[in-house]
């Protein structure tokens, strides 16, 4: 049987295995709630059903209003209270056609472009915590997208803030991030800039790709153009510095990458008009 977890009127699909809930950014569902412990609870989905376990949290876990001890089974329709956040277990939507098992893949090492005449640098494999963060974006992304579509920008911002903060702090610490994770974080940050009008989310995207020494993908640049028409202010020195840092790499770019760089220069001109 398949299961969903309803949170804030949105549904998260639960795959087989463990699903951590807490304030810690490494949890699959990160809750920004002072009553929630860093790793508060674990939901485990198996062939026999779903269980929830209180991980020794200060405020405990309540199932249907009753505080639990250790690990207990939960059934479809049960309400789980973690801090002040209520989650409801629902039956999952069964696929209309059989879904093939897809084996887990090991992310390859990624060679980063260097200026003409330089030696390509091979980055180390991503840390397991960063792979978990990419999985968390997959989990929360659909919920955040729905919130944005419904005009609930503060809700989407609250859902994504912890995950986005973890990505930028890892960037500032010089850790290697999977390119897919960078693009996911940038996409949501650019959408938040458009939805909230906060220039800081646009600055986030620029800082992220400045550290990667590459231009954003076309979809992220498109969203940045949308954001520039909504935000009150952006960090122009940061944007200009980012473009200047990319210029030595342009001779080694493909035609498509050069076009992205030209669009960044156009973005700078648009931002300067704000």
């Amino acid at each position: 049987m398949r299961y969903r977890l309803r949170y804030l009127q949105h549904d998260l699909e639960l795959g087989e295995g463990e699903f951590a809930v807490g304030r810690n950014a490494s949890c699959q569902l990160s809750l920004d709630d002072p009553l929630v412990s860093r790793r508060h609870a674990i939901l485990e989905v198996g062939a026999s059903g779903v269980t929830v376990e209180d991980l020794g949290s200060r405020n405990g876990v309540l199932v249907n209003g009753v505080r639990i001890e250790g690990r207990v089974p939960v059934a479809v329709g049960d309400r789980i209270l973690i801090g002040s956040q209520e989650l409801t277990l629902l039956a999952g939507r069964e696929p209309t056609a059989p879904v093939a098992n897809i084996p887990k893949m090991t992310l390859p090492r990624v060679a980063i472009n260097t200026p003409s005449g330089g030696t390509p640098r091979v980055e180390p494999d991503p840390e397991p915590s960063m792979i978990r963060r990419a999985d968390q974006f997959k989990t929360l992304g659909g919920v955040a997208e729905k919130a944005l579509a419904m005009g609930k920008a503060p809700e989407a911002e609250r859902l994504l803030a912890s995950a986005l903060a973890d990505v930028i702090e890892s960037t500032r610490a010089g850790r290697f991030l999977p390119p897919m994770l960078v693009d996911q974080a940038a996409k949501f940050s650019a959408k938040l800039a458009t939805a909230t009008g906060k220039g800081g989310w646009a600055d986030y995207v620029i800082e992220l790709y400045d550290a990667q020494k590459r231009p954003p993908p076309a979809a992220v640049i498109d969203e940045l153009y949308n954001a520039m028409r909504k935000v009150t202010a952006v960090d122009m020195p940061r944007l200009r510095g980012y473009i200047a840092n990319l210029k030595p790499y342009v001779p080694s770019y493909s035609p498509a990458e050069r076009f992205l760089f030209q669009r960044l220069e156009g973005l700078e001109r648009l931002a300067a008009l704000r």
Side-chain angles (χ1 to χ4, degrees):
M1 183 175 179
R2 298 165 66 88
Y3 298 93
R4 293 174 289 151
L5 192 65
R6 177 157 293 175
Y7 174 59
L8 295 176
Q9 299 182 344
H10 301 289
D11 295 347
L12 308 173
E13 294 291 336
L14 294 179
E16 189 166 327
E18 292 188 345
F19 186 89
V21 182
R23 281 200 348 267
N24 195 301
S26 65
C27 295
Q28 278 80 11
L29 179 56
S30 181
L31 302 176
D32 186 14
D33 183 331
L35 299 179
V36 175
S37 299
R38 291 179 63 80
R39 280 182 62 83
H40 198 112
I42 287 283
L43 281 85
E44 185 170 353
V45 182
S48 59
V50 181
T51 62
V52 62
E53 180 181 3
D54 180 9
L55 299 178
S57 64
R58 176 178 297 181
N59 295 304
V61 175
L62 280 68
V63 176
N64 297 327
V66 178
R67 184 162 180 165
I68 68 171
E69 297 289 339
R71 179 181 298 181
V72 301
V74 287
V76 170
D78 282 351
R79 294 173 291 104
I80 305 166
L81 189 67
I82 296 178
S84 63
Q85 311 298 315
E86 184 175 276
L87 316 172
T88 305
L89 185 68
L90 302 175
R93 301 182 180 90
E94 295 296 333
T96 56
V99 178
N101 290 325
I102 302 175
K104 292 184 178 179
M105 298 179 64
T106 302
L107 292 174
R109 296 175 182 266
V110 179
I112 303 299
N113 288 333
T114 56
S116 180
T119 302
R121 184 177 75 256
V122 177
E123 296 287 358
D125 293 332
E127 298 176 6
S129 63
M130 290 297 99
I131 297 175
R132 287 197 301 272
R133 172 61 68 219
D135 290 339
Q136 185 183 33
F137 272 116
K138 290 179 184 177
T139 302
L140 294 180
V143 181
E145 292 275 16
K146 290 179 182 177
L148 289 170
M150 296 170 65
K152 298 180 178 180
E155 183 177 312
E157 190 174 35
R158 183 161 64 87
L159 279 168
L160 295 168
S162 176
L164 290 171
D166 189 54
V167 170
I168 202 66
E169 289 303 322
S170 296
T171 296
R172 291 167 181 168
R175 301 191 188 104
F176 171 63
L177 303 179
M180 179 183 67
L181 175 58
V182 172
D183 293 341
Q184 285 178 325
K187 178 187 73 172
F188 286 118
S189 186
K191 285 179 177 291
L192 287 176
T194 301
T196 66
K198 296 178 181 178
W201 287 120
D203 297 337
Y204 177 107
V205 178
I206 300 308
E207 181 177 357
L208 193 60
Y209 283 104
D210 193 11
Q212 304 301 311
K213 298 294 183 287
R214 65 179 173 97
V220 173
I221 294 180
D222 287 343
E223 194 60 50
L224 284 176
Y225 269 85
N226 291 335
M228 289 304 169
R229 298 180 176 91
K230 302 287 184 65
V231 300
T232 55
V234 293
D235 188 340
M236 287 303 299
R238 183 188 299 277
L239 177 56
R240 288 176 177 140
Y242 166 50
I243 292 173
N245 290 339
L246 286 186
K247 283 185 177 177
Y249 297 80
V250 173
S252 65
Y253 283 170
S254 67
E257 289 171 324
R258 291 179 187 175
F259 177 68
L260 293 176
F261 179 77
Q262 290 170 357
R263 295 201 65 202
L264 282 175
E265 292 180 310
L267 185 71
E268 178 191 354
R269 292 191 291 272
L270 178 61
L273 298 176
R274 302 297 298 164

